[in-house]
Amino acid sequence: DAKTTQPPSMDCAEGRAANLPCNHSTISGNEYVYWYRQIHSQGPQYIIHGLKNNETNEMASLIITEDRKSSTLILPHATLRDTAVYYCIVDPGGGADGLTFGKGTHLIIQP
Amino acid sequence: DVKVTQSSRYLVKRTGEKVFLECVQDMDHENMFWYRQDPGLGLRLIYFSYDVKMKEKGDIPEGYSVSREKKERFSLILESASTNQTSMYLCASSSLVGTGDEKLFFGSGTQLSVL
């Protein structure tokens, strides 16, 4: 059974905020939420992760609901280079024994 | 910048050949991983390693073996390549911290075609 549910695809206009949702209703108390992205023909790239609190770094913001059953990745000012597949992953250890990648959301930034 | 380097970007081999895919990381990471990625199937974990000479099977180890003689190097071996092993192979590494703050760093991938 999939641990996360993401829409298969989304569009966003260049310069606007891209908000990518993820449902993880069966998340355990010790599991973190991780986001990675994969630009075409490249390996996945770590974006951000969090446990309970909202997080922000130079790439994105992560908003986790209070019940931790869903989260949203926010790219504040999307550019064409943000077109990629975005993966939401829940895991207790960050990948010490490998992360399980689902199908992700294909985000297309429109000029 | 941290770096995971895979020896070849594209590789073409014949059925039955022995194939070595090499991966080197310069971050002194304990953990290293091999994934394959196929359209519609996503990334699937083949093998991983916690330490030198240690290896663990992932979700799809059949037809593959691995070698980790040095901390920085993790090799994936296809003993007798078959056409169903045509795929994109991705190597990754991470530090063994156990706090949840670990991040996977991926190489650029090797597109292997077995003819």
Side-chain angles (χ1 to χ4, degrees):
Chain A
D1 284 345
K3 296 178 89 172
T4 64
T5 304
Q6 298 178 253
S9 65
M10 291 181 64
D11 287 348
C12 179
E14 189 177 17
R16 306 297 293 265
N19 296 277
L20 291 91
C22 180
N23 285 322
H24 31 80
S25 58
T26 60
I27 192 170
S28 301
N30 66 339
E31 288 184 312
Y32 289 75
V33 180
Y34 298 88
W35 283 84
Y36 284 74
R37 74 179 183 183
Q38 187 172 23
I39 294 169
H40 182 63
S41 297
Q42 296 182 22
Q45 175 192 24
Y46 166 85
I47 302 173
I48 199 167
H49 75 283
L51 184 62
K52 294 180 184 177
N53 300 323
N54 298 336
E55 303 287 345
T56 295
N57 63 19
E58 64 279 3
M59 289 182 70
S61 295
L62 173 60
I63 309 297
I64 302 174
T65 58
E66 197 168 336
D67 64 7
R68 302 210 322 124
K69 292 185 177 182
S70 66
S71 60
T72 301
L73 178 75
I74 301 172
L75 308 178
H77 304 288
T79 71
L80 298 179
R81 287 175 294 181
D82 292 321
T83 292
V85 178
Y86 288 77
Y87 299 99
C88 170
I89 302 164
V90 294
D91 192 272
D97 55 355
L99 289 175
T100 299
F101 288 77
K103 291 187 164 51
T105 295
H106 187 196
L107 175 67
I108 299 171
I109 307 301
Q110 305 281 3
Chain B
D1 261 359
V2 297
K3 209 158 192 179
V4 178
T5 303
Q6 295 185 228
S7 54
S8 304
R9 187 76 177 96
Y10 299 96
L11 209 53
V12 179
K13 296 293 182 181
R14 297 281 181 194
T15 302
E17 277 193 78
K18 190 169 186 175
V19 181
F20 292 87
L21 302 183
E22 306 286 348
C23 175
V24 177
Q25 50 96 1
D26 65 359
M27 296 164 281
D28 201 36
H29 282 166
E30 289 79 7
N31 304 327
M32 295 189 75
F33 308 85
W34 276 106
Y35 287 85
R36 65 177 281 178
Q37 185 171 27
D38 303 285
L41 296 176
L43 281 90
R44 293 179 290 168
L45 183 63
I46 305 171
Y47 266 99
F48 61 102
S49 168
Y50 290 122
D51 201 351
V52 175
K53 297 194 187 296
M54 303 295 290
K55 62 182 179 183
E56 297 284 343
K57 293 180 180 179
D59 300 318
I60 51 163
E62 296 80 19
Y64 303 95
S65 62
V66 290
S67 172
R68 191 153 181 215
E69 296 296 320
K70 294 185 177 181
K71 189 176 185 181
E72 67 271 16
R73 187 180 297 269
F74 192 35
S75 302
L76 181 70
I77 304 157
L78 288 65
E79 293 289 343
S80 177
S82 64
T83 55
N84 63 13
Q85 292 178 310
T86 291
S87 185
M88 170 67 80
Y89 289 88
L90 289 156
C91 174
S93 72
S94 73
S95 60
L96 183 66
V97 178
T99 63
D101 283 331
E102 301 86 349
K103 304 166 190 174
L104 287 184
F105 294 90
F106 281 84
S108 297
T110 296
Q111 178 63 51
L112 172 67
S113 297
V114 182
L115 306 179

